[in-house]
Amino acid sequence: MKVRKAVIVAAGLGTRMLPASKVVPKEILPVVDKPALQMVVEEAAASGIEEIILLLGPGKELLLEHFQPAPLLERHLEQRRKLDLLEIARAPNRLARFTVAWQSEPLGLGHAVLQARAAVGDEPFAVILPDDIFDSPTPCLRQLLEHAEATAAPTVALMRVARVDLSKYGIVAVRPAAGRLWHLTGMVEKPAPEDAPSDLAIMGRYILTPEIFTLLEQVKPGAGGEIQLTDALLALAQRRTLYGLEIEGIRYDLGDRLGFLTAQIGFGLKRPDLAPQLRQWLAQMPPA
Ligand code: UTP
């Protein structure tokens, strides 16, 4: 199967990043100097995605603006012949085609995905949570797509997590398929460590087929009135083969303060223009 579209869900309120996220959407906060949202759109484009469906909520309109021309800024840079900066300012506009879908209230990830139904249509699609950023030799979404395009089966991204972190994630029950690939047989949302069926957690990348929409319509709201994507995935796993692929790379959770901080350092250390001084500064820090 060929996956052309990716839904980036960005209608949440980002409460874990307050006060930064009070008026500035957390998705536009940068990793070093690049908004998280641009990083995931670049990942999607590098993975072969042609169309981005940006799922927004009230007050999040400015996320789309980042991918549109900025005439005043561009003229200013052009007149001063700052062509390298002009290139940086224009680059987001060329990454993909954008469609916007709306979620009027953040009623959960499952509800968010359901709001993209008309924009997705009747074809397989990817879902990206822009909180999750990967530093990997092959883009995370490409790793998933290589597998899903060959099997035509829905596939979710997995990573092993420490026991203390199990209760932050959707944790899967699995049967081995091959190497880093697993058959998913069950999943539990945010389990206590003793109830977790494995140490494999679902990360923010999914390849789904349109039948997920019908299943999402049937999901009953859970805790906090939220409609969970996990519940629909569970129903899907009972009907057809659902895979999980262990992703190769480092993952940062930008929705969380520590993850946000470590991402700045991790990606900063990869930047030739910043790494030597950053390394020096880190080495000079007094021990706690
Ligand atoms: P999170 O739960 O991590 O994001 O959802 P949040 O709700 O914005 O943040 P906190 O927990 O209050 O700090 C993961 C992704 O799913 C989107 C969010 O925007 C985020 O990118 N999401 C979540 C929606 O688009 N709609 C929802 O109803 C829930």
Side-chain angles (χ1 to χ4, degrees), residues 9-16 26-27 103 106-109 112 129-131:
V9 287
L13 297 177
T15 56
R16 285 171 297 151
K26 69 172 172 182
E27 296 83 359
Q103 187 188 26
L107 294 177
L109 181 56
L129 274 54
D131 281 357

Side-chain angles (χ1 to χ4, degrees), residues 258-278:
L258 186 63
F260 185 80
L261 204 52
T262 50
Q264 308 302 325
I265 298 170
F267 280 95
L269 288 172
K270 291 185 61 134
R271 286 271 296 255
D273 56 333
L274 303 172
Q277 277 170 294
L278 178 58

Side-chain angles (χ1 to χ4, degrees), residues 29 41 74 84 92 94 115 120 147 156 166 173 177 197 256-257 264 270 275:
L29 296 177
V41 172
E74 290 177 27
D84 47 347
R94 304 193 192 110
Q115 308 316 302
V120 168
H147 170 73
V156 307
L166 289 166
D256 163 269
R257 293 177 175 89
Q264 308 302 325
K270 291 185 61 134

Side-chain angles (χ1 to χ4, degrees), residues 18 26 52-53 55-56 60 78 117 119 123 152-153 157 161 188-189 211 225 227 246 249 259 267:
L18 283 168
K26 69 172 172 182
I52 299 287
I53 299 160
L55 195 282
L56 302 177
K60 301 291 253 338
E78 226 160 12
R117 185 179 206 165
E123 58 181 290
V161 295
V188 194
E189 198 52 54
E211 62 202 293
I227 294 179
E246 263 184 88
F267 280 95

Side-chain angles (χ1 to χ4, degrees), residues 136-154:
S136 52
T138 304
C140 176
L141 197 61
R142 187 68 240 152
Q143 295 182 39
L144 278 186
L145 283 170
E146 268 164 22
H147 170 73
E149 288 179 344
T151 60

Side-chain angles (χ1 to χ4, degrees), residues 69-113:
L72 187 67
L73 172 66
E74 290 177 27
R75 212 168 38 245
H76 175 94
L77 295 172
E78 226 160 12
Q79 282 164 354
R80 284 159 185 77
R81 307 300 298 158
K82 294 190 172 170
L83 299 183
D84 47 347
L85 290 179
L86 182 65
E87 187 49 38
I88 290 172
R90 280 183 177 158
N93 320 353
R94 304 193 192 110
L95 288 170
R97 204 149 47 82
F98 283 84
T99 306
V100 176
W102 295 94
Q103 187 188 26
S104 55
E105 222 186 316
L107 294 177
L109 181 56
H111 183 262
V113 171

